[in-house]
Amino acid sequence: MTTKDEAMTAVRTLLAYLEGEGNANREGLEATPQRVIDSWGEVFSGYGQSAAELLNATFNGEGYDGIVLLRNIEFHSTCEHHLQPFRGRAHVAYIPVERIVGISKLARLVDLHARRLQNQERITKSVADDLETHLHPLGAAVILEASHGCMQCRGVAKQEAIMTTSAMRGVFFDKSEARSELMQLIQQPVL
Ligand code: ZN
């Protein structure tokens, strides 16, 4: 198990690699290893959380059988291939069978997966998997739109490119009517 001190030493090594041994000791970089590792505590806080715990508390849906959609959930994540940030919006929906969850849980579920080393496909699939596993809904749908730092500041250098991924489960996969209704709701003007 790597300790925090070892992780900070590793950052110091990276700074020396970038700046050269002498320059890496300047004042502005003195506390950078500490700041980097502390900020990673937030950026990668998803590792300390479990979807089972998050979706544990459900409520009686009192017969509600329509779409529950939380859209425009902003998220920040980190590409596991380049350690570059990627950021965007998630739209998360389900159709409950008896049990519903507090709506903030859907946003927290996105963060739980986004705040790890990731690719966008895996976040999308994982959120849909968790909804299915823990809520047993009639359908679950997850759509992510994101711009990727590793494509903007390096490599192919496309600033405006947006990557979209989607996972459709249950009735959203089987029935084009359910999918159409969902898409209409997602495209409603923002309040
Ligand atoms: Zn990348």
Side-chain angles (χ1 to χ4, degrees):
M1 167 107 176
T2 306
T3 66
K4 184 174 178 182
D5 278 349
E6 287 168 338
M8 279 168 43
T9 302
V11 174
R12 213 173 292 284
T13 302
L14 292 174
L15 292 176
Y17 172 72
L18 290 171
E19 292 271 334
E21 295 292 339
N23 285 344
N25 293 327
R26 62 191 153 84
E27 190 190 348
L29 295 181
E30 210 172 303
T32 296
Q34 172 94 46
R35 282 191 293 262
V36 168
I37 298 305
D38 285 348
S39 73
W40 277 9
E42 292 177 58
V43 173
F44 297 113
S45 58
Y47 287 116
Q49 301 173 33
S50 107
E53 266 174 50
L54 185 66
L55 299 176
N56 182 27
T58 59
F59 304 100
N60 186 338
E62 299 171 9
Y64 180 85
D65 58 0
I67 293 175
V68 177
L69 164 68
L70 189 64
R71 61 186 173 130
N72 296 336
I73 308 165
E74 72 268 24
F75 70 88
H76 287 79
S77 190
T78 307
C79 137
E80 66 184 5
H81 300 132
H82 301 95
L83 297 189
Q84 287 283 333
F86 63 97
R87 56 175 293 277
R89 288 166 187 278
H91 314 290
V92 177
Y94 71 105
I95 298 178
V97 177
E98 293 176 13
R99 307 303 291 177
I100 56 174
V101 279
I103 196 69
S104 71
K105 298 293 176 71
L106 300 184
R108 289 186 192 284
L109 183 60
V110 171
D111 282 345
L112 178 152
H113 290 291
R115 292 178 183 174
R116 300 178 183 199
L117 290 172
Q118 278 293 10
N119 62 52
Q120 186 176 327
E121 295 89 334
R122 190 189 299 124
I123 300 175
T124 310
K125 178 183 182 301
S126 301
V127 172
D129 285 347
D130 287 341
L131 291 174
E132 278 206 304
T133 304
H134 301 291
L135 296 182
H136 311 290
L138 202 60
V142 181
I143 298 173
L144 262 61
E145 308 166 300
S147 56
H148 288 249
C150 63
M151 261 181 64
Q152 291 174 316
C153 71
R154 57 162 293 288
V156 73
K158 297 300 175 204
Q159 307 307 313
E160 307 294 330
I162 305 283
M163 178 169 163
T164 303
T165 46
S166 81
M168 297 288 146
R169 303 290 170 77
V171 74
F172 290 117
F173 183 84
D174 295 333
K175 303 266 186 216
S176 60
E177 296 89 340
R179 225 162 32 239
S180 305
E181 185 183 344
L182 174 69
M183 290 310 171
Q184 276 177 13
L185 292 174
I186 288 174
Q187 286 158 14
Q188 290 293 309
V190 176
L191 295 176

